[in-house]
Amino acid sequence: MASPVEQQRETRDDVDDIELELLLEGIYRRYGFDFREYAPASLRRRVWRRAHAEGLRTISALQDKLLHDPSCMERLLLDLSINVTAMFRDPTFYVAFREKVVPLLRTYPFTRIWVAGCSTGEEVYSLAILLQEEGVYDRTRIYATDINESVLERARSGVFPLDKMREYTQNYIKAGGERAFSEYYLAKYDGAQFQRSLVENVVFAQHNLVSDRSFNEFNVIVCRNVMIYFDRALQVHVHRLFYESLMTFGVLALGAKESIRFSPHEQSFEDLDAHERLYKKVR
Ligand SMILES: C[S@@+](CC[C@H](N)C(=O)[O-])C[C@H]1O[C@@H](n2cnc3c(N)ncnc32)[C@H](O)[C@@H]1O
C-alpha cells in the first residue's frame, strides 16, 4: 500500500495532469495553437518553468493569466517552441544535399522548397548560400515557415550574433563550402548582417504544422529538429501533410534525428540518403 506521503504525491501529480490538460485546451480554444499532442514530459517542464517565471504557483494560475494576457502567451510560445538552431547545423546534411538533391533540382526549370519550422532563419540562409553556390538559386523559391511570429521577425532581419561566426565558418567548410564565409555578411556592432540577396527569393510566413493545411506543391520539404517534440500521432499527421504537399519524386529532408520509417507513409518514400534521412517520394 502507498504511504500517506506517496498518496499525497500521486494526488498532486493527478491534479497537475488535469491542470495541464485544461491549460492546453484553453490555449487551443483561445489562440488556436494546438500543443495537446506534444510529448508530455518536456511540455510539463516548460509550462512549469513559465509558471515560475511569471511568479505563479499552479498551472491553473498560469492558465488564468494566459487566457487574459496575450503577451504571456507570446512568452510561453517562445518557451514551448524551442528555437535552437545554427547555420550549416549538422554539416554532413548539407554535403548530402549538395550531392543528392541539387542534381535533382537542376532537372527542373523552377523549383519550390519549403523549410518548415525554420526558427530564426539560420537554416534558410545556409540553404540559400548553398543554392547560390550551386547556381540554382535564381530559379528557386523558398517558403520558410514557423509557428512563432517572433522568430520569423528575426529571420527576416538576417542579423545573427557575430560571436557565432567562427563556429558557422567551421560548419560551412565542413558542409563543403569553398569561399570565404565572411563574404556573405557585414559585421555591424555585435551582429553579422547577411546579404539581402540571399533572401530575395524567400517568403517568410507563419504556418502551424499541427492545424494549418498545405499551401503549395513542393519539390523539396526540409523539416529538421521540429517533430522530435511531437508524439507519434502528431508525427504521422505531419508526415501526411508533407506527403500531400510534395510532388512525385519530390524530396523530404528530415535530418538525422527523425525518420519516416514506421509511419503509414513509409511505403511512399525511398531512401535518397539513409543516414541524412533524405527521402524521395515515389508514389
Ligand atoms: C529546434 S527549432 C529547429 C530549427 C531548424 N529547423 C533547425 O533544424 O535548426 C524548432 C522550430 O519548430 C517550430 N515549431 C514547433 N512547433 C511547430 C508547429 N506546430 N508548426 C510550425 N513550427 C513549429 C518552433 O517554433 C521552432 O522554431
Side-chain angles (χ1 to χ4, degrees):
M1 223 177 102
S3 71
V5 174
E6 281 167 342
Q7 272 176 4
Q8 219 177 17
R9 188 175 312 130
E10 276 168 22
T11 313
R12 208 176 52 216
D13 288 351
D14 289 347
V15 172
D16 244 33
D17 284 348
I18 297 169
E19 289 183 288
L20 186 63
E21 232 171 82
L22 291 172
L23 174 102
L24 299 181
E25 188 63 33
I27 291 176
Y28 178 58
R29 290 175 57 181
R30 168 80 166 86
Y31 297 102
F33 294 118
D34 193 354
F35 293 104
R36 293 174 300 178
E37 289 176 85
Y38 276 40
S42 83
L43 193 65
R44 181 189 308 277
R45 240 188 352 264
R46 285 163 209 285
V47 165
W48 266 118
R49 199 177 306 151
R50 176 52 33 210
H52 291 143
E54 302 286 331
L56 303 168
R57 299 185 52 184
T58 62
I59 296 183
S60 297
L62 180 63
Q63 173 180 322
D64 184 52
K65 186 159 187 190
L66 279 168
L67 291 180
H68 296 99
D69 177 1
S71 72
C72 181
M73 184 63 226
E74 273 293 309
R75 293 191 289 279
L76 179 65
L77 209 51
L78 281 172
D79 297 333
L80 290 184
S81 56
I82 317 101
N83 306 111
V84 178
T85 184
M87 292 191 88
F88 292 97
R89 180 182 196 176
D90 303 325
T92 52
F93 169 81
Y94 291 89
V95 173
F97 198 96
R98 261 185 218 271
E99 286 173 2
K100 302 193 174 153
V101 182
V102 170
L104 296 175
L105 298 182
R106 289 194 207 288
T107 64
Y108 298 98
F110 186 79
T111 55
R112 276 187 288 264
I113 300 180
W114 179 12
V115 182
C118 67
S119 187
T120 38
E122 284 83 338
E123 188 178 38
V124 178
Y125 286 77
S126 308
L127 274 174
I129 288 173
L130 185 154
L131 296 168
Q132 227 181 43
E133 291 183 354
E134 295 296 329
V136 291
Y137 183 71
D138 286 346
R139 49 200 171 98
T140 307
R141 170 140 304 192
I142 301 179
Y143 296 84
T145 63
D146 201 282
I147 190 176
N148 186 336
E149 185 55 47
S150 10
V151 291
L152 291 170
E153 263 315 303
R154 288 177 38 204
R156 287 187 194 101
S157 80
V159 180
F160 304 117
L162 196 56
D163 59 9
K164 289 275 182 192
M165 290 308 127
R166 188 191 292 264
E167 173 195 334
Y168 293 173
T169 304
Q170 291 305 319
N171 284 357
Y172 167 74
I173 294 166
K174 285 188 205 145
E178 289 177 353
R179 307 222 181 128
F181 188 59
S182 55
E183 276 177 24
Y184 292 107
Y185 63 86
L186 275 179
K188 257 195 185 162
Y189 305 104
D190 51 357
Q193 168 75 66
F194 277 70
Q195 284 172 9
R196 299 309 301 164
S197 63
L198 291 171
V199 280
E200 230 162 47
N201 299 348
V202 180
V203 178
F204 288 102
Q206 191 185 35
H207 180 278
N208 185 342
L209 290 167
V210 179
S211 50
D212 293 340
R213 304 175 75 88
S214 168
F215 57 96
N216 221 322
E217 201 181 44
F218 296 95
N219 300 78
V220 179
I221 298 176
V222 179
C223 184
R224 302 188 306 148
N225 305 300
V226 178
M227 280 184 280
I228 37 177
Y229 308 111
F230 297 175
D231 77 359
R232 202 72 213 119
L234 199 49
Q235 288 182 10
V236 168
H237 170 84
V238 179
H239 289 158
R240 184 179 323 115
L241 175 71
F242 289 162
Y243 172 76
E244 287 166 359
S245 311
L246 268 179
M247 57 187 290
T248 310
F249 304 127
V251 174
L252 179 61
L254 293 183
K257 294 192 196 79
E258 284 143 273
S259 164
I260 193 90
R261 295 292 158 238
F262 312 114
S263 142
H265 290 287
E266 171 172 5
Q267 300 305 325
S268 311
F269 290 91
E270 271 176 9
D271 285 339
L272 190 61
D273 184 308
H275 183 258
E276 299 301 334
R277 309 285 159 86
L278 292 172
Y279 303 103
K280 186 156 145 191
K281 174 174 165 181
V282 288
R283 56 182 75 85

